[in-house]
Amino acid sequence: MKSGRKSSAKSESSREELLQRCGELQLIVDAIPALVFYKDTKNGIRRVNRAVADSLGVTAEELANTPTERWYPEQAAEYYRGDLEVIESGKPKLGISEKNGKRWFETAKLPQFDEQGNVTGIVVVSQDVTERRQLEERLLQAQKLESIGHLAGGVAHDFNNLLTSIFGLIAVAQRELPPGSLAHEYLALLNLAAEGGANLTKQLLAFARRQIIAPQVIDLNSLALETSNLLQRVLGEDIDVSVDLSLASLRVKVDANQISQLLLNLALNARDAMPNGGTLSFTSALVQIEDDESQRPLPDIAAGRYALLAVRDTGEGLSDEAKAHLFEPFFTTKDFGKGTGLGLAMCYGIVKQNGGHIGVESRLGAGTTFSIYLPEVDAPVDAPPSQRMSVPVQAGNETLLFAEDDDLVRHLAVTELSSRGYRLIVASNGEEALKAAAEHAGEIHLLVTDVIMPKMGGVELAREFKKTRPRTPVLYISGYTNETLADGVHLLRKPFGHEALLVRVRAILDAHENAGSE
């Protein structure tokens, strides 16, 4: 009798120990944030962890020993196809991508065996990876836009040189023809066509973030208010412009002209989305973005303090497909012939070049909101730049050092300047220009240089040139650069006509002479 009682007690102890281990194992499985299923070979659910029960709003007991179709009617057949591969092969299957509604899951399916090696069921572990997939898609989109931007910037740079030459040749040809002649009128029309090309390259350079910018500290609220007042007259009476700006000053260091252009483009885009009228609203706020990546409004935005400006319309809204391509150049939702597809691409480039971020929220029939985040700065607002007075074209006799790598642009500009009495020292890159300056014993009154050149660019050339001739002013000519030029520099943007070059050169020389005589 004693041995029977001992055997019974031992069995009871083993049972309690097994139950305790099972309970501990269930606690561990319940602590896993992923969805964990134990399924039989007939697509039935045997057991689940707490995450599965919570996702369905029931208890684990209610789920036990029920068919998968009961809880996942639309996906059950697809799930079972994947289960069968594991059941029939006896091999685990990892890294399966599955979709349930709008959520994405990465799933692993592991076979379970009896003592004879037969598959008796499978363990399914599914991790919700929706946010990760969204971040990866946004990263790929950003990388694609970056690649397109490099291409667009390079094309626009070369095209700007071509247009500068075209403007110069048109001016030379028009001087040789009598005013009012048919050929003279044709050249005027050609000049208009070239100006259209110049506008396109300007938009491409904005998208590519290769425009030359002149940043200054501004109050974003003041700029938004000034722009909204202008837009009320531009958009028409059927569109109401609403403004709800932060009481706090939102100081940002940006190119004010570019940000105004950005807001104008967004407003015109909103007008097209509201053909029957609606409301365009501007709201602003000072926001603090924390280190927690899951709480960031945009995937590539760093932690810090930002001035947020939201531009919202009550228009037609955008589809998910349209949102995925919205900032790509030449993509447009407008009818054929009603847009170039560069407006929003330019907006994207402007925000990025000014150190900011832009995001969009939209649904069909529910309007669109563009959110612009610009880093806040702790600095006083800069005074507005003084307006430059136009200077009439006059001849001169000063010595100019002219550096430009494009042969035709250089030839036409040098010919035009020489014809007005200027003495020219000519170079095709920065190294040649420095050497020529060192060999010139007399005074050089002005350095005119392209910004982007092989071997040595214009910014480095000016820096080295100033070491020996610190008082000589510099005029940069470019429509494309990776660099931000310092405040107060002289800049002539490509493409330009030769009259603009002559006026600018004369104005700088006269201003420098007057400053020296005071």
Side-chain angles (χ1 to χ4, degrees):
M1 294 295 292
K2 288 183 178 180
S3 67
R5 285 197 296 270
K6 287 182 179 178
S7 177
S8 176
K10 186 176 180 180
S11 176
E12 184 66 26
S13 174
S14 297
R15 183 173 179 275
E16 290 179 359
E17 185 178 351
L18 181 60
L19 287 174
Q20 182 180 353
R21 289 182 179 179
C22 286
E24 291 172 349
L25 180 60
Q26 187 65 44
L27 287 173
I28 293 172
V29 175
D30 282 340
I32 297 174
L35 308 178
V36 181
F37 302 79
Y38 177 43
K39 301 175 68 177
D40 60 29
T41 58
K42 303 297 183 182
N43 207 23
I45 297 173
R46 298 282 296 277
R47 294 183 68 85
V48 298
N49 72 339
R50 184 176 298 160
V52 176
D54 290 345
S55 71
L56 294 171
V58 296
T59 65
E61 289 72 20
E62 291 177 89
L63 282 161
N65 301 311
T66 60
T68 303
E69 290 88 343
R70 178 178 174 184
W71 308 104
Y72 303 97
E74 296 180 2
Q75 296 86 14
E78 180 185 349
Y79 292 166
Y80 191 47
R81 282 195 294 270
D83 294 351
L84 281 176
E85 292 183 32
V86 176
I87 293 168
E88 293 172 355
S89 69
K91 297 179 180 179
K93 194 172 182 182
L94 309 176
I96 306 167
S97 290
E98 296 177 328
K99 193 173 184 182
N100 185 350
K102 292 186 177 181
R103 309 298 296 178
W104 281 95
F105 293 85
E106 191 171 277
T107 301
K109 299 188 176 187
L110 311 168
Q112 302 299 300
F113 304 93
D114 60 16
E115 294 179 355
Q116 287 74 40
N118 300 313
V119 177
T120 58
I122 61 173
V123 173
V124 180
V125 182
S126 289
Q127 179 71 42
D128 190 330
V129 293
T130 305
E131 292 183 2
R132 190 184 77 190
R133 282 182 68 102
Q134 290 173 342
L135 288 173
E136 288 173 349
E137 289 173 0
R138 289 173 182 172
L139 178 60
L140 287 173
Q141 179 72 0
Q143 290 173 337
K144 179 170 68 173
L145 289 173
E146 186 73 22
S147 298
I148 296 172
H150 282 300
L151 175 62
V155 170
H157 170 248
D158 292 341
F159 198 49
N160 266 338
N161 280 335
L162 179 62
L163 286 169
T164 301
S165 300
I166 290 172
F167 283 131
L169 289 169
I170 290 172
V172 171
Q174 283 182 320
R175 284 202 301 267
E176 300 299 320
L177 295 168
S181 66
L182 186 60
H184 197 282
E185 292 180 8
Y186 283 159
L187 287 171
L189 292 174
L190 180 59
N191 198 78
L192 286 175
E195 288 176 358
N199 287 331
L200 285 176
T201 59
K202 184 178 180 181
Q203 290 176 309
L204 281 173
L205 286 170
F207 166 71
R209 292 174 255 168
R210 297 296 184 266
Q211 280 187 314
I212 299 175
I213 66 173
Q216 61 186 98
V217 179
I218 66 166
D219 181 0
L220 188 59
N221 281 335
S222 299
L223 181 64
L225 183 61
E226 179 183 332
T227 304
S228 66
N229 291 335
L230 169 67
L231 290 174
Q232 186 64 78
R233 297 189 293 271
V234 171
L235 297 178
E237 295 180 356
D238 59 341
I239 294 179
D240 179 45
V241 178
S242 169
V243 178
D244 182 15
L245 302 177
S246 165
L247 295 177
S249 175
L250 301 180
R251 290 169 294 176
V252 293
K253 189 168 186 178
V254 296
D255 186 308
N257 290 331
Q258 278 197 328
I259 301 302
S260 296
Q261 186 180 22
L262 157 72
L263 297 180
L264 177 60
N265 271 278
L266 291 179
L268 295 177
N269 207 65
R271 182 190 62 186
D272 293 339
M274 299 185 287
N276 299 317
T279 300
L280 176 67
S281 62
F282 293 83
T283 59
S284 69
L286 180 63
V287 296
Q288 175 70 43
I289 296 179
E290 305 297 342
D291 284 326
D292 186 356
E293 293 185 4
S294 65
Q295 301 300 315
R296 294 182 186 177
L298 297 171
D300 57 343
I301 193 168
R305 288 165 64 89
Y306 290 83
L308 167 63
L309 181 61
V311 182
R312 185 180 187 279
D313 66 64
T314 57
E316 300 166 345
L318 300 165
S319 66
D320 290 341
E321 181 183 359
K323 285 189 290 185
H325 301 281
L326 198 59
F327 296 120
E328 295 177 11
F330 306 113
F331 175 81
T332 179
T333 58
K334 300 174 184 177
D335 294 336
F336 180 76
K338 292 189 176 181
T340 63
L342 286 171
L344 291 177
M346 181 171 62
C347 291
Y348 175 87
I350 286 173
V351 172
K352 287 294 185 180
Q353 192 175 17
N354 283 276
H357 304 266
I358 184 170
V360 60
E361 295 179 11
S362 182
R363 288 187 296 110
L364 285 174
T368 302
T369 301
F370 288 92
S371 298
I372 302 157
Y373 295 84
L374 296 169
E376 188 215 16
V377 297
D378 184 15
V381 173
D382 290 329
S386 59
Q387 298 293 323
R388 292 188 177 92
M389 300 296 292
S390 61
V391 180
V393 179
Q394 296 178 357
N397 58 4
E398 291 90 345
T399 299
L400 313 181
L401 174 58
F402 193 95
E404 163 64 59
D405 63 304
D406 186 278
D407 293 339
L408 188 53
V409 172
R410 185 177 63 251
H411 172 74
L412 288 170
V414 168
T415 300
E416 194 71 20
L417 289 165
S418 298
S419 70
R420 295 303 179 105
Y422 296 104
R423 296 185 295 273
L424 273 296
I425 304 169
V426 184
S428 61
N429 59 62
E431 290 183 356
E432 283 186 14
L434 281 180
K435 182 179 179 182
E439 293 173 352
H440 181 73
E443 184 177 0
I444 296 177
H445 299 88
L446 177 65
L447 166 62
V448 184
T449 177
D450 190 12
V451 175
I452 303 298
M453 294 184 293
K455 297 184 179 180
M456 179 185 290
V459 175
E460 186 180 356
L461 163 62
R463 185 165 50 245
E464 294 299 318
F465 177 82
K466 287 278 191 178
K467 290 179 179 179
T468 55
R469 300 175 186 263
R471 287 183 46 79
T472 303
V474 179
L475 171 61
Y476 294 101
I477 52 173
S478 186
Y480 169 95
T481 183
N482 291 321
E483 302 191 47
T484 299
L485 300 181
D487 296 339
V489 301
H490 302 295
L491 171 66
L492 181 61
R493 300 178 190 271
K494 289 181 179 179
F496 55 81
H498 286 157
E499 183 175 343
L501 173 63
L502 292 168
V503 168
R504 200 63 188 278
V505 165
R506 189 67 259 160
I508 294 171
L509 289 170
D510 289 345
H512 184 68
E513 182 180 348
N514 292 336
S517 62
E518 292 178 356

